[in-house]
Amino acid sequence: MASGNDMKAANATYAGFIGLLKWSVPAIAIVALIIVILISS
């Protein structure tokens, strides 16, 4: 089992990952939509 310090570090890493994912997925979707519009025109 992980010690308390390891769990704090793991929770911080997970929170950072989720925060990054929350902003990167919509940004990637917008870029993909722009590319699709450019290709279709």
Side-chain angles (χ1 to χ4, degrees):
M1 198 80 187
S3 68
N5 291 339
D6 290 343
M7 285 307 298
K8 288 179 185 177
N11 286 336
T13 302
Y14 179 74
F17 172 74
I18 293 299
L20 181 65
L21 199 65
K22 191 187 310 182
W23 290 103
S24 63
V25 168
I28 292 170
I30 290 169
V31 170
L33 180 64
I34 291 170
I35 291 172
V36 167
I37 290 170
L38 288 173
I39 290 173
S40 68
S41 60

